[in-house]
Amino acid sequence: MIVAGQSQSAYFLEEATNVSETHTLSVLVDNEPGVLARVIGLFSGRGYNIESLTVSEVEHEKHLSRITVVTTGTPQVILQIMHQLARLVPVHRVVNLTRMGEAIERELALVKVIGKGEHRVEALRLAQAFSARTVDATLESFVFEMTGTPADIDRFINLMTECGRVEVARTGLAALSRGAEIM
């Protein structure tokens, strides 16, 4: 934080811009073979990590798909990724949802829990507290479906460890900007 009347050295400012941040990028692309491979190739070829990736056709008539990518890097790296994505031929638009403000972010998770007795009761109680749905139940196991923010899903998964969590499947992040701004 810079306070009026205090001077900061240029070294301090340079150091602050080298901090790695997590960003959610939304990329509107033509829905055609090889587009996803080209986008992923851009990340892998330059050593950028993809933390989450979600792809789906969003406009069937126009054959457009939306790719939502969560990645981490310094502000300069994120800007470089956006510029490189925008140069790919099938890409129509690249938006940094993180820079636009608080985006609406949701993810779906399936969590399998195996347990008996108190562990079963506790798993059901936690699922109810997190508004998770029971989508499969046997005498020895449950599969819960939960939709929410990645942080809420992380908390749910971690708590289910004590109840006998054995398996997890996650969809990846789906995100939209708030308000009237559109892609």
Side-chain angles (χ1 to χ4, degrees):
M1 181 167 105
I2 299 174
V3 179
Q6 289 183 340
S7 64
Q8 298 289 330
S9 75
Y11 294 108
F12 173 79
L13 295 175
E14 181 63 30
E15 183 179 309
T17 60
N18 286 332
V19 175
S20 202
E21 304 170 343
T22 300
H23 287 257
T24 303
L25 306 178
S26 188
V27 186
L28 191 63
V29 300
D30 288 335
N31 184 11
E32 59 187 39
V35 173
L36 180 59
R38 290 176 69 188
V39 169
I40 292 171
L42 184 144
F43 279 82
S44 66
R46 289 161 179 82
Y48 305 141
N49 188 41
I50 295 175
E51 294 181 13
S52 173
L53 177 71
T54 307
V55 184
S56 183
E57 186 174 61
V58 292
E59 291 190 43
H60 183 69
E61 299 80 28
K62 295 181 181 179
H63 301 287
L64 295 176
S65 289
R66 183 182 191 126
I67 301 173
T68 305
V69 181
V70 179
T71 190
T72 302
T74 64
Q76 295 85 2
V77 167
I78 299 298
L79 193 58
Q80 183 180 19
I81 290 170
M82 290 181 63
H83 287 304
Q84 290 169 348
L85 283 170
R87 281 197 296 252
L88 293 177
V89 172
V91 172
H92 293 274
R93 188 158 183 217
V94 179
V95 175
N96 186 338
L97 293 173
T98 304
R99 287 282 180 236
M100 291 179 71
E102 263 188 61
I104 298 168
E105 300 179 338
R106 294 293 181 268
E107 185 177 8
L108 175 118
L110 297 174
V111 180
K112 184 182 285 188
V113 177
I114 296 177
K116 293 184 178 187
E118 274 305 307
H119 289 291
R120 279 180 72 78
V121 173
E122 185 63 11
L124 283 170
R125 188 188 69 72
L126 286 169
Q128 184 177 20
F130 278 84
S131 299
R133 260 185 36 181
T134 305
V135 292
D136 184 57
T138 69
L139 294 174
E140 299 160 350
S141 69
F142 291 110
V143 175
F144 298 108
E145 173 189 295
M146 183 180 168
T147 304
T149 66
D152 287 343
I153 289 175
D154 288 341
R155 284 194 354 254
F156 180 68
I157 290 169
N158 289 336
L159 288 171
M160 283 295 173
T161 302
E162 295 297 318
C163 298
R165 174 182 55 89
V166 294
E167 200 170 351
V168 175
R170 295 175 81 156
T171 60
L173 194 67
L176 289 174
S177 63
R178 293 186 182 274
E181 181 71 29
I182 60 171
M183 173 116 197

